[in-house]
Amino acid sequence: MANNKSVFFNPLSKDNPVLVQILGICSVLAVTVKLEPAVVMGLSVIAVLAFSNVIISLIRNTIPTNIRIIVQLVVVAGLVVIVSELLKAYAYDVSKQLSVFIGLIITNCILMGRLEAFAMANRPWPSFLDGVGNGIGYTIILVIVAFFRELLGSGTLFGFQVVPQCFYEAGYANNGLMILPPMALIVVACIIWVHRSFNKDLQDK
Amino acid sequence: MASLRNYLDKIRPNFEPGGKLHALHSVYDGFETFLYTPRTTSAPAGAVHIHDSIDSKRTMIIVVLALLPCFLFGMYNTGYQHWLALGATSFPFWELMIYGFLTILPRVAVAYIVGLGIEFTFAQIKHEEIQEGFLVTGIIVPMICPAEVPLWMLAVAVAFAVIFAKEVFGGTGYNVLNIALVTRAFLFFAYPAQMSGDKVYVATGTPFGYGTALPDGFTGATPLGQIATQSGPSLELLGLDGKIIDTWQAFLGLIPGSFGETSTLCILIGAILLLATGIASWRVMLSVFAGGLFMGWIANTFASPVYPASYLNPLDQLLLGGFAFAAVFMATDPVTAARTTTGKYIYGFLIGVIAVIIRTYNNGYPEGAMLAVLLMNCFAPLIDYCVVQANMRRRQARLTSKTARQ
């Protein structure tokens, strides 16, 4: 099952949906101001992606080609509603912070990309691994970006103060730009920079 | 001078391939070409190419010279505002100058050390010559910030601007945005408390223990900062001594503000030097002022109490804040400005218009010159493209009409 292994591990780095395929950028900008919503968002995407991949893969041979996008959307939308309701029931504060972005998972390019490119042509088990792998690849980037943005922008991690008070007394100040969306792009760019310099085969000639 | 030349020639072998200091060859090269005409030029001796001695290093030095009046005045004004805030009645010239000099010196040093350090490092890594662009940026950055901007913030901002606005695009000459303005914009958005408001524009400290400290929380707003908080049709702009700031004072520049940009008089002296040597484009400069006057006139004609700055007369719009400095030293940056002749007029005019729009109609930003120049930096290539395309269409039309007639 070497193939399944690469299906699962490739999206973590070599074929990362954010770093290499440059998908799902807008949600990376939107939900990474704090770590907590970023983690919840990542978990939601993993769940939706894995199960929609499985469902589409199960019914892939019965979907008429002309309406496949609509079918995919219906499946994703159904799963997103379930996730959204669960969050409202068990993590109300976080779902408030994420506001529309849970709903917007439907339009996340990673979802459509994986369904079209993988689930429509593969059996359920590899599709499941592909969904989980891509979801984790996405979550890793989300967490890294949120880590730097929350640490430098608010001086906290998961809401706990980590920059000691004496820093502020000595003249340190939180970087307000980190909380604004442009800085998320630059942090993502830096991650891509580091990632490319370790993976020379990904560099553009 | 000959001994310096000899010394450089003597230590040269160390920096050539195989020499023990080869790793620092670009540093050597940078200093040598800074002091003397480069040893190698693109054509061998006796060839027909003509080389102007005004290469980019000399260009940069002339810009620095043009900035000098503003810089000296900034030193005086920093001291003057400080003395004024202390309630002094006599203003000893040299003490004011020394106070201003000691306040700004660490900022200039930090800007140059951080900026040049990054430039040198990148040049070494990429095996290129050191690019000279930071020579001007390093002096402009402290001049467009409040005199007491914290050093570490300045260092972070300069590092950010040089890496992300310049080096990743390929270095001097390839940047889309003006580096000094990116530095300032970074400071403005990242640390608004230290970069705007009424607490930062008057130096309160005792640099290297010199002078008398002002109490913490001393407030002294810039004229534009005062306007943003006023209401009603009569504007009252007060200096720190409680006297009204008139147009003449705004022109001279003895008002609170960023270090180097208060004095329109000194900026004009710099402008004359830049124009006389042909370094800066008079088209850009003129059209920025024209745009500012035009938009200032429109705003003033349709003045409304909701936007207090619209009661400012158009001339004062040009004299207050960073407008004149941006017009003369920022908008004319040849790398980031439009390059076509018509494009320069459009580019400059829009900078003037947008700067006044921002400062008038957005009460959150008392000054808009920085944002206007950065915005138009982004549009400069588009303006050039449109101008070139329009020219091509016109010539094409002329050609077809000519062939049709034959």
Side-chain angles (χ1 to χ4, degrees), chain A residues 100-111:
Chain A
V100 297
F101 291 103
I102 288 290
L104 285 178
I105 292 178
I106 300 171
T107 58
N108 193 321
C109 323
I110 298 175
L111 269 288

Side-chain angles (χ1 to χ4, degrees), chain B residues 63-182:
Chain B
V63 180
V64 172
L65 286 178
L67 283 163
L68 214 53
C70 294
F71 193 84
L72 292 173
F73 184 86
M75 278 160 48
Y76 179 78
N77 190 41
T78 303
Y80 180 79
Q81 298 300 332
H82 183 74
W83 256 250
L84 209 58
L86 284 170
T89 46
S90 64
F91 300 96
F93 180 80
W94 286 111
E95 283 180 36
L96 300 186
M97 288 299 268
I98 291 171
Y99 180 84
F101 176 72
L102 292 179
T103 306
I104 204 66
L105 182 67
R107 273 87 196 167
V108 177
V110 164
Y112 271 117
I113 291 169
V114 173
L116 286 179
I118 293 171
E119 292 247 345
F120 279 33
T121 314
F122 269 85
Q124 291 292 348
I125 294 172
K126 295 199 285 190
H127 303 289
E128 284 173 358
E129 285 180 32
I130 290 170
Q131 294 158 335
E132 45 281 280
F134 200 78
L135 209 56
V136 173
T137 313
I139 190 90
I140 284 187
V141 165
M143 292 176 73
I144 56 176
C145 293
E148 283 194 323
V149 56
L151 293 176
W152 72 271
M153 288 182 189
L154 196 65
V156 171
V158 167
F160 175 86
V162 171
I163 294 175
F164 287 103
K166 187 175 186 179
E167 293 301 342
V168 296
F169 285 98
T172 303
Y174 297 96
N175 48 312
V176 178
L177 300 170
N178 185 306
I179 310 302
L181 281 178
V182 173

Side-chain angles (χ1 to χ4, degrees), chain A residues 171-177 183 186 190 193, chain B residues 152-153 160 163-164 168 186 189-191 194:
Chain A
Y172 176 80
N174 288 327
N175 188 325
L177 200 56
M183 216 51 190
I186 289 173
C190 290
W193 188 354
Chain B
W152 72 271
M153 288 182 189
F160 175 86
I163 294 175
F164 287 103
V168 296
F186 181 90
F189 288 108
Y191 308 109
Q194 282 77 15

Side-chain angles (χ1 to χ4, degrees), chain A residues 18-20 22 25 28-29 32 141 144-145 148-149 178 181-198, chain B residues 160 163-165 168-169:
Chain A
V18 180
L19 297 187
V20 181
I22 319 287
I25 292 290
V28 172
L29 305 191
T32 51
I141 305 307
I144 297 175
V145 175
F148 286 111
R149 287 185 74 189
M178 274 288 169
M183 216 51 190
L185 266 186
I186 289 173
V187 176
V188 172
C190 290
I191 298 173
I192 292 179
W193 188 354
V194 173
H195 186 250
R196 290 282 202 282
S197 58
F198 281 111
Chain B
F160 175 86
I163 294 175
F164 287 103
V168 296
F169 285 98

Side-chain angles (χ1 to χ4, degrees), chain A:
Chain A
M1 296 306 271
N3 192 24
N4 275 355
K5 214 168 165 183
S6 66
V7 161
F8 180 78
F9 284 106
N10 267 1
L12 300 190
S13 166
K14 281 270 177 210
D15 198 20
N16 189 290
V18 180
L19 297 187
V20 181
Q21 304 171 28
I22 319 287
L23 295 174
I25 292 290
C26 37
S27 56
V28 172
L29 305 191
V31 301
T32 51
V33 174
K34 293 266 158 67
L35 260 174
E36 196 184 1
V39 170
V40 173
M41 178 75 178
L43 294 177
S44 310
V45 169
I46 294 175
V48 174
L49 190 50
F51 289 112
S52 63
N53 254 5
V54 171
I55 294 171
I56 291 295
S57 172
L58 282 171
I59 59 173
R60 68 183 188 278
N61 294 326
T62 57
I63 304 174
T65 325
N66 291 338
I67 57 160
R68 66 182 195 287
I69 301 282
I70 300 172
V71 174
Q72 288 164 7
L73 272 179
V74 169
V75 170
V76 175
L79 288 166
V80 165
V81 170
I82 294 173
V83 167
S84 170
E85 292 298 315
L86 279 175
L87 283 181
K88 274 186 194 145
Y90 294 105
Y92 187 70
D93 292 339
V94 181
S95 85
K96 269 286 194 205
Q97 282 180 47
L98 285 167
S99 65
V100 297
F101 291 103
I102 288 290
L104 285 178
I105 292 178
I106 300 171
T107 58
N108 193 321
C109 323
I110 298 175
L111 269 288
M112 297 307 286
R114 293 329 294 170
L115 293 178
E116 271 289 287
F118 200 90
M120 285 299 284
N122 285 285
R123 298 165 63 81
W125 177 241
S127 296
F128 179 76
L129 290 178
D130 178 79
V132 175
N134 275 285
I136 294 176
Y138 171 81
T139 309
I140 293 172
I141 305 307
L142 224 56
V143 168
I144 297 175
V145 175
F147 172 81
F148 286 111
R149 287 185 74 189
E150 185 171 357
L151 181 66
L152 300 175
S154 313
T156 58
L157 286 177
F158 285 109
F160 294 106
Q161 191 70 36
V162 288
V163 175
Q165 193 57 38
C166 57
F167 274 44
Y168 291 103
E169 276 152 23
Y172 176 80
N174 288 327
N175 188 325
L177 200 56
M178 274 288 169
I179 299 181
L180 302 173
M183 216 51 190
L185 266 186
I186 289 173
V187 176
V188 172
C190 290
I191 298 173
I192 292 179
W193 188 354
V194 173
H195 186 250
R196 290 282 202 282
S197 58
F198 281 111
N199 298 282
K200 297 232 184 298
D201 51 319
L202 291 174
Q203 288 175 8
D204 296 326
K205 287 288 169 297

Side-chain angles (χ1 to χ4, degrees), chain B residues 235-239 241-246 249:
Chain B
L235 291 175
E236 232 179 31
L237 305 180
L238 301 178
D241 49 359
K243 291 189 188 128
I244 300 225
I245 297 174
D246 55 16
Q249 249 181 321

